[in-house]
Amino acid sequence: MNYTSEFWTSVLLAFVTGSVATGLIVWSSVRAKEAQKKAQVIPDGITGALHALATAGLVLDVDNKIVRATRSAFALGLVRDQVLVHPKLVSLVDKARKAKKSSKARAKDFALASELGDATIWVNSRAVHLGEGYVLLLVEDRTESHNLEETSRDFVANISHELKTPIGAMSLLSEAIQSAADDPKQVRKFAKNLETESARLTQLVQDIIQLSRVQSAEVAGTAAEIDLATVVAEAVDRNRVLANKKKIQLKIATTDGIRVFGDQELLTTAVKNLLENAISYSDTESPVSIRLRKKSGVAEIAIKDKGAGISPEDLDRIFERFYRVDQSRSRATGGTGLGLSLVKNIAQKHLGEVQVKSKVGAGSTFTIRIPLATAPIDATGSKK
């Protein structure tokens, strides 16, 4: 009797196990077919077209999960963990999905706040329903054209004012040299001052050209993945001569593998400018440290000095074009007042910000913060 009971128990257990296994196989097959069916909903040409676009392009499924995305979409800060981060764009996608005619595109201009800092991105966005809940979203960055008129007007006014000083000084010095032609000592003195003003004018023009290039640069369209440790190393190398001249020790702490989307030369310029300022405004043999780390999805490059520090009333204005905290010391160091403005513009171009903490008599810490590069989404919708 016990043998009979055990036999039927074994038969029942085998039947249940087989049924469950069969069910799992069927379920897996159905899910695979559903995934294949969804993949087929997106026309084959869409993926190729996205990679050919200069603007940001994304494809979202019925749950608003991103299944296709161009690199420029990441560079513009539109995507974070396969999710569209801006509610305004999500709303546009939802409206396109609900449109009666799936081929009708929905278009709108938006002002989008960046994830870091107070920068604003102006974009033109178009969304079209591809069918089966899939939506194609195209986002064109129009920030530069939006800001061009105001920037150009202010920039020309600032340049006109700043160029007057060295040009006027050079004119007076040339007259002084002519007047002192019979006094070799005075001629040498005026000639040396003329050389100084000439160098200052050259540096000013170079900074103006560089700032103009930064403001007109299209980082998102040409962005590449950059290892920030390489950026820091290059910036340090460009400041070695200045640091050695003042006998300043550069303390460097970096972490490999911290990557962002952007322009390597622009980022190197930003770090180089901050490091140059820290060295220039530090006393001889005073240490300067530079640290690279990642924190909460953000890359941070912090440059700290033990210089004179910056007063609270100056902190709010130090990133303005041509603003100098100490006019006399700026002239002595050759500062043009454009270095920090360049840093701020470059950080904003990379959807980041630059922060400063300073205390008079204790030094300053400037920190560039940029969102980390997230893994791109390939043609199958998976992360690489």
Side-chain angles (χ1 to χ4, degrees):
M1 189 71 176
N2 289 337
Y3 289 113
T4 303
S5 176
E6 289 178 1
F7 171 76
W8 286 110
T9 299
S10 300
V11 171
L12 180 61
L13 181 61
F15 175 77
V16 171
T17 302
S19 298
V20 171
T22 302
L24 287 173
I25 293 172
V26 173
W27 179 78
S28 299
S29 177
V30 170
R31 289 295 299 272
K33 289 181 179 179
E34 288 179 351
Q36 184 178 8
K37 180 180 178 181
K38 286 184 177 181
Q40 292 173 346
V41 171
I42 305 175
D44 293 336
I46 290 295
T47 299
L50 283 178
H51 291 299
L53 289 173
T55 57
L58 313 94
V59 177
L60 300 92
D61 65 14
V62 67
D63 298 318
N64 279 343
K65 182 180 179 182
I66 297 171
V67 294
R68 305 285 192 279
T70 62
R71 183 177 294 275
S72 54
F74 289 91
L76 269 177
L78 306 180
V79 183
R80 183 63 58 184
D81 296 326
Q82 287 189 274
V83 175
L84 193 61
V85 299
H86 295 288
K88 293 178 181 178
L89 295 180
V90 174
S91 177
L92 182 66
V93 168
D94 290 337
K95 289 178 180 178
R97 186 178 288 115
K98 294 176 183 177
K100 293 182 179 180
K101 294 183 179 180
S102 61
S103 60
K104 184 179 179 181
R106 312 280 296 195
K108 198 163 185 180
D109 293 329
F110 292 118
L112 306 176
S114 61
E115 290 186 87
L116 299 177
D118 56 358
T120 299
I121 307 168
W122 298 87
V123 300
N124 174 260
S125 307
R126 299 173 65 85
V128 60
H129 189 196
L130 300 176
E132 298 296 328
Y134 286 88
V135 174
L136 170 66
L137 176 65
L138 301 177
V139 181
E140 181 182 1
D141 184 8
R142 294 187 175 178
T143 305
E144 296 309 322
S145 59
H146 184 275
N147 295 334
L148 181 60
E149 183 178 350
E150 180 180 356
T151 300
S152 297
R153 183 175 60 249
D154 293 343
F155 199 43
V156 170
N158 287 334
I159 290 174
S160 300
H161 174 74
E162 289 297 323
L163 290 177
K164 286 180 180 178
T165 302
I167 291 175
M170 291 173 69
S171 177
L172 291 174
L173 286 168
S174 63
E175 292 178 6
I177 290 174
Q178 293 177 10
S179 301
D182 297 330
D183 188 344
K185 185 177 180 180
Q186 286 294 95
V187 168
R188 285 194 296 271
K189 176 184 176 182
F190 292 142
K192 184 174 179 60
N193 291 340
L194 183 61
E195 183 182 4
T196 300
E197 292 299 330
S198 176
R200 181 173 289 109
L201 179 61
T202 300
Q203 184 62 52
L204 178 59
V205 171
Q206 288 177 346
D207 284 351
I208 288 171
I209 292 172
Q210 191 172 39
L211 181 57
S212 178
R213 286 176 177 171
V214 169
Q215 291 179 326
S216 62
E218 290 289 347
V219 172
T222 59
E225 248 187 82
I226 299 165
D227 188 340
L228 287 182
T230 303
V231 169
V232 171
E234 177 63 22
V236 169
D237 189 57
R238 294 183 187 183
N239 280 285
R240 284 291 184 191
V241 173
L242 181 61
N244 291 338
K245 184 178 179 180
K246 296 191 67 174
K247 298 181 180 179
I248 286 178
Q249 180 186 3
L250 299 179
K251 299 180 178 180
I252 307 165
T254 61
T255 303
D256 292 331
I258 299 181
R259 307 179 72 85
V260 299
F261 287 117
D263 184 298
Q264 182 162 330
E265 179 57 31
L266 289 182
L267 288 173
T268 301
T269 297
V271 179
K272 175 256 183 187
N273 283 0
L274 288 182
L275 194 54
E276 183 178 349
N277 275 3
I279 296 171
S280 297
Y281 289 94
S282 292
D283 294 331
T284 302
E285 299 184 0
S286 177
V288 171
S289 65
I290 177 168
R291 180 186 64 186
L292 167 63
R293 68 173 182 175
K294 57 182 177 180
K295 182 179 180 182
S296 303
V298 177
E300 294 186 347
I301 302 175
I303 297 174
K304 182 178 181 180
D305 64 62
K306 295 183 178 180
I310 305 169
S311 65
E313 55 268 25
D314 286 319
L315 280 177
D316 294 333
R317 300 192 60 190
I318 57 174
F319 294 106
E320 294 178 13
R321 288 191 297 269
F322 302 109
Y323 184 78
R324 302 175 181 87
V325 174
D326 186 336
Q327 293 284 351
S328 60
R329 190 164 187 182
S330 291
R331 288 181 65 84
T333 59
T336 63
L338 287 175
L340 291 179
S341 180
L342 275 166
V343 173
K344 180 179 179 180
N345 272 271
I346 292 171
Q348 290 181 341
K349 285 284 184 180
H350 291 79
L351 306 178
E353 63 177 350
V354 55
Q355 298 179 341
V356 56
K357 295 180 180 179
S358 187
K359 184 177 180 181
V360 176
S364 307
T365 301
F366 285 83
T367 305
I368 297 176
R369 305 180 72 244
I370 300 174
L372 291 170
T374 56
I377 300 173
D378 64 18
T380 64
S382 62
K383 286 189 174 183
K384 291 184 178 180

